[in-house]
């Protein structure tokens, strides 16, 4: 049933192999073993979410995909390339872009310098004008110090700067965390627009109501494993189950 | 004779010029330390030896290959910078995940070894290196006599300091450097080769020290200990300015050179300790240094 629903989406039908395939992924922070055999896949053009409690391993999964976890084993195949042993800068060059939970705005750089920092990896990234259309606030404040922006503006800057690079596979770690509802709406609209433009997105979310408005499928993460996958159509029917998983 | 505050003007300005020259070297050396510390988190105690190598490189270029001062001003920093790159790749790069202390001990040890090797080969009496013919002589400025070469040292060091500041604060490469100083992991995740950047930055910091060494060769005698004597003061300058601040190290370098010069005029007994006294006072009031960011 989920397959049938997906097949109607652009991109999902023609891509036979998933764009990203994670299998048996394990990862460690020093001595502590955080991921215990994560396996999931993401198809071209999909928006999927990783849902789960704090400490379940969602952020660690994102960091493993972009290659900034110190120790990781298993298999992460992106667009046909095994990346488990690659340094993050080479993974980035394959077209994967990361928006960290803490947003990663550089305080010693101005807004425009932050925006221009990630180098272009592939053709087809948004131009500066297109980015300013999407996020008009950034234009007005381009000379300010990056960290002087409000939380919402910093989040937009963090997303905006990777849209310039031409990467079409985005890892967004809790983009709505701590933001006002009106900003969350704006970020939701941005994700929707990127999806329509053919971007593939993994979203980490605590807020499954928000996740439901943008995603195709939801993976539930618990103790470093995927314990369930819920297609977006079944979200309403799965509310009780989700409450149990997320403990809300 | 004209007097200011009971001091002959010629003596006053003479000491101020001397202070400005010392300040030029403090600024160039502390700038290199600041750049290296910012990105590598390594307190580069080899810096004094690398400054000395710059002076020796220009002496060797002249005496072994007949290459004069002007080409040496470019070549010596390149040669010594290259040795810095080798040092970073072979040894320093192994210490990034360890405590600061390891980097300090390693670079201190390497500095001692380099000094020892040069002492063994060239002795400690010092080798002469002439002022380039274009810069001999001096100008009578009315209130004082200004040797041309000393004027050139101040101008050259100002240019190099401002150019370094401009590159770091105003260019795209500098934005990479500043970003990588704050969060190297994320910069790497954008597809930027941070390890290469770190290696080249160390090379550039070392080249800056060597450039100062070439400028110093005609003023001070070329001597294996010339760096060791200077670097202690430079570290005090860095502590006062604040570790890792680019503009801070430039301003503090020149300012403390002048303060030292003034002290020589008004209270000569304190001239060799004044910088350390200021360091103590600054540490009491602003432990991160005048321009430092508290981490």
């Amino acid at each position: 049933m989920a397959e049938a629903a997906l097949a109607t989406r652009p991109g999902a039908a023609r891509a036979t192999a998933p764009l990203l395939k994670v299998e048996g992924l394990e990862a460690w922070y020093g001595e502590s073993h955080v991921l215990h055999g994560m396996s999931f896949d993401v198809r071209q053009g999909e928006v999927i979410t990783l849902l789960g409690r704090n400490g379940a391993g969602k952020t660690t999964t994102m960091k493993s995909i972009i290659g900034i976890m110190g120790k990781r084993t298993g298999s992460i195949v992106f667009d046909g390339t095994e990346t488990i042993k690659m340094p993050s800068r080479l993974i980035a060059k394959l077209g994967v872009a990361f928006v960290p939970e803490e947003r990663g705005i550089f305080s010693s750089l101005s807004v425009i310098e932050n925006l221009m920092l990630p180098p272009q990896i592939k053709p087809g990234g948004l131009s500066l004008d297109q980015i300013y259309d999407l996020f008009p606030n950034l234009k007005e404040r381009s000379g300010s110090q990056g960290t002087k922006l409000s939380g919402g503006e910093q989040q937009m800057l963090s997303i905006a700067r990777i849209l310039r690079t031409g990467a079409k596979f985005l890892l967004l770690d809790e983009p709505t965390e701590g933001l006002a509802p009106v900003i969350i709406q704006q970020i939701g609209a941005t994700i929707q627009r990127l999806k329509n433009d053919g971007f593939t997105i993994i979203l980490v979310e605590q807020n499954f109501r928000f996740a439901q408005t943008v995603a195709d499928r939801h993976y539930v993460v618990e103790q470093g494993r995927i314990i369930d996958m819920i297609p977006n159509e079944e979200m309403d029917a799965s509310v009780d189950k989700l409450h149990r998983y997320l403990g809300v | 004779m004209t007097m200011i505050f009971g001091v002959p003007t010629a003596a006053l300005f003479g000491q101020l010029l001397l202070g400005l020259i010392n300040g030029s070297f403090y600024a160039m050396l502390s700038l290199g330390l600041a750049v290296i510390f910012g990105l590598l988190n390594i307190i580069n105690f080899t810096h004094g030896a690398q400054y000395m190598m710059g002076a020796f490189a220009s002496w060797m270029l002249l005496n072994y290959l007949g290459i004069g001062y002007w080409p040496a001003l470019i070549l010596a920093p390149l040669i010594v910078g290259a040795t810095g790159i080798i040092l970073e790749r072979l040894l320093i790069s192994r210490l990034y995940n360890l405590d600061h202390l390891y980097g300090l001990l390693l670079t201190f040890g390497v500095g001692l070894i380099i000094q020892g090797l040069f002492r063994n080969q060239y002795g400690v009496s010092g080798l002469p290196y002439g002022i380039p013919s274009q810069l001999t002589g001096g100008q009578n400025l009315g209130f004082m006599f200004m040797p041309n070469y000393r004027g050139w040292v101040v101008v050259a060091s100002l240019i190099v300091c401002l150019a370094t500041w401009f590159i770091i604060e105003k260019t795209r490469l500098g934005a990479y450097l500043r970003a990588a100083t704050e969060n190297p992991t994320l910069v790497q995740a954008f597809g930027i080769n941070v390890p290469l950047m770190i290696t080249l930055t160390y090379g550039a910091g070392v080249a800056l020290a060597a450039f100062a060494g070439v400028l110093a060769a005609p003023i001070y005698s070329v001597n294996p200990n010339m760096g060791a004597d200077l670097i202690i003061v430079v570290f005090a300058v860095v502590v006062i300015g604040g570790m890792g601040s680019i503009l801070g190290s430039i301003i503090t370098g020149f300012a403390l050179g002048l303060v030292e010069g003034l002290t020589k005029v008004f209270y000569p007994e304190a001239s060799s300790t004044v910088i350390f006294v200021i360091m103590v006072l600054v540490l009491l009031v602003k432990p991160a240094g005048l321009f430092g960011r508290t981490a």
Side-chain angles (χ1 to χ4, degrees):
Chain A
M1 184 176 64
E3 294 299 317
L6 281 166
T8 60
R9 293 203 173 80
R14 68 187 129 86
T16 44
L19 182 59
L20 177 84
K21 187 164 182 61
V22 177
E23 269 186 308
L25 175 65
E26 315 225 346
W28 289 260
Y29 282 108
E31 293 295 300
S32 93
H33 192 169
V34 195
L35 299 186
H36 302 268
M38 293 277 285
S39 297
F40 65 98
D41 52 47
V42 187
R43 275 160 278 204
Q44 176 85 47
E46 262 192 312
V47 174
I48 68 119
T49 66
L50 300 177
L51 301 174
R53 296 180 206 201
N54 279 329
K58 306 180 299 287
T59 296
T60 310
T61 305
M62 301 284 240
K63 287 184 176 172
S64 299
I65 295 170
I66 190 67
I68 58 178
M69 281 301 291
K71 188 176 172 196
R72 60 195 197 282
T73 63
S75 165
I76 301 174
V77 176
F78 176 75
D79 205 7
T81 309
E82 176 60 68
T83 63
I84 195 76
K85 292 206 180 334
M86 276 190 180
S88 58
R89 68 190 153 85
L90 297 183
I91 298 175
K93 288 197 171 143
L94 296 174
V96 183
F98 177 50
V99 176
E101 184 178 4
E102 68 282 2
R103 291 158 196 154
I105 300 304
F106 297 97
S107 66
S108 54
L109 274 61
S110 67
V111 169
I112 184 78
E113 282 177 325
N114 267 286
L115 196 53
M116 302 305 282
L117 184 76
Q120 262 163 334
I121 289 156
K122 296 189 166 178
L126 270 60
S127 70
L128 205 52
D129 286 339
Q130 286 172 309
I131 285 173
Y132 284 150
D133 274 350
L134 215 49
F135 306 107
N137 294 21
L138 298 183
K139 187 172 190 178
E140 287 162 30
R141 308 210 48 188
S142 69
S144 313
Q145 186 188 343
T147 44
K148 289 272 159 68
L149 296 181
S150 71
E153 287 169 327
Q154 287 192 30
Q155 187 62 60
M156 288 170 195
L157 177 56
S158 189
I159 296 175
R161 69 180 169 194
I162 60 167
L163 299 181
R164 266 190 56 255
T165 65
K168 286 280 159 50
F169 187 88
L170 311 184
L171 305 168
L172 308 183
D173 196 350
E174 301 216 24
T176 63
E177 192 187 20
L179 299 181
V182 57
I183 312 276
I184 295 182
Q185 265 180 22
Q186 198 180 344
I187 286 175
T190 307
I191 294 174
Q192 196 61 53
R193 188 187 147 171
L194 293 174
K195 185 178 172 181
N196 294 340
D197 288 349
F199 281 78
T200 309
I201 300 173
I202 301 185
L203 192 64
V204 164
E205 264 301 335
Q206 301 268 8
N207 177 349
F208 70 83
R209 294 287 174 210
F210 172 78
Q212 209 179 345
T213 61
V214 291
D216 299 306
R217 291 187 296 144
H218 308 270
Y219 285 105
V220 182
V221 185
E222 199 173 287
Q223 294 186 340
R225 286 184 197 86
I226 301 286
I227 56 160
D228 202 354
M229 192 278 281
I230 304 171
N232 203 39
E233 302 78 16
E234 295 172 20
M235 278 295 266
D236 287 329
S238 313
V239 168
D240 289 342
K241 199 162 67 169
L242 272 169
H243 279 303
R244 205 168 60 244
Y245 287 146
L246 303 178
V248 285
Chain B
M1 192 187 289
T2 331
M3 308 280 275
I4 295 179
F5 302 127
V7 175
T9 43
L12 177 66
F13 286 113
Q15 286 301 340
L16 278 179
L17 175 66
L18 211 59
L20 204 55
I21 304 246
N22 286 337
S24 306
F25 289 109
Y26 298 160
M28 280 185 288
L29 290 172
S30 63
L31 180 61
L33 285 173
V35 171
I36 291 172
F37 179 77
L39 192 59
L40 284 78
N41 258 327
I42 291 278
I43 302 166
N44 183 35
F45 258 92
T46 319
H47 218 67
Q50 283 151 340
Y51 158 80
M52 175 270 286
M53 285 167 81
F56 264 96
S58 48
W59 183 88
M60 289 176 190
L61 283 170
L62 182 67
N63 289 280
Y64 299 155
L65 301 172
I67 296 172
Y69 177 86
W70 298 107
L73 213 47
I74 309 285
L75 287 175
L78 287 179
I79 295 165
V80 181
T83 67
I85 285 176
I86 294 168
L87 174 66
E88 195 276 340
R89 278 290 85 204
L90 282 183
L91 299 173
I92 297 175
S93 58
R94 295 165 200 274
L95 302 178
Y96 293 139
N97 297 323
L98 300 175
D99 193 85
H100 286 299
L101 206 54
Y102 289 89
L104 192 149
L105 288 173
L106 172 77
T107 54
F108 187 61
V110 170
L112 287 181
I113 292 170
I114 294 172
Q115 266 175 44
L117 290 173
F118 275 89
R119 210 159 34 225
N120 209 30
Q121 189 66 31
Y122 296 99
V124 288
S125 50
L127 306 165
Y129 189 91
I131 292 174
S133 55
Q134 296 90 336
L135 293 173
T136 49
Q139 310 291 327
N140 192 345
L141 301 179
F143 54 89
M144 65 175 289
F145 180 77
M146 161 98 136
N148 285 342
Y149 187 79
R150 300 193 171 224
W152 154 248
V153 167
V154 175
V155 171
S157 114
L158 263 178
I159 292 172
V160 165
C161 286
L162 290 178
T164 308
W165 171 83
F166 182 84
I167 290 169
I168 290 174
E169 297 295 336
K170 298 290 164 197
T171 67
R172 193 172 169 78
L173 178 69
Y176 285 167
L177 276 174
R178 278 175 285 142
T181 299
E182 267 187 64
N183 190 343
T185 310
L186 186 59
V187 172
Q188 173 104 321
F190 287 148
I192 297 168
N193 192 340
V194 174
L196 177 69
M197 215 159 81
I198 287 177
T199 303
L200 293 179
T201 300
Y202 187 76
V206 170
L208 214 52
F211 182 83
V214 183
L215 284 181
I219 302 186
Y220 311 116
S221 75
V222 178
N223 177 323
N225 294 333
M226 64 193 285
D229 300 341
L230 187 60
I231 204 68
I232 304 297
V233 183
V234 171
F235 271 105
V237 171
V238 168
V239 170
I240 295 168
M243 206 81 204
S245 162
I246 301 301
L247 204 54
S249 42
I250 299 174
I251 294 171
T252 318
F254 279 102
L256 287 175
L258 287 174
V259 167
E260 211 181 26
L262 283 175
T263 315
K264 270 187 194 135
V265 179
F266 293 105
Y267 192 60
E269 295 84 345
S271 64
S272 59
T273 47
V274 63
I275 287 186
F276 298 98
V277 173
I278 294 174
M279 179 180 85
V280 170
L281 294 176
V282 168
L283 282 178
L284 285 173
V285 183
K286 286 194 78 177
L290 294 177
F291 298 86
R293 286 173 298 228
T294 33

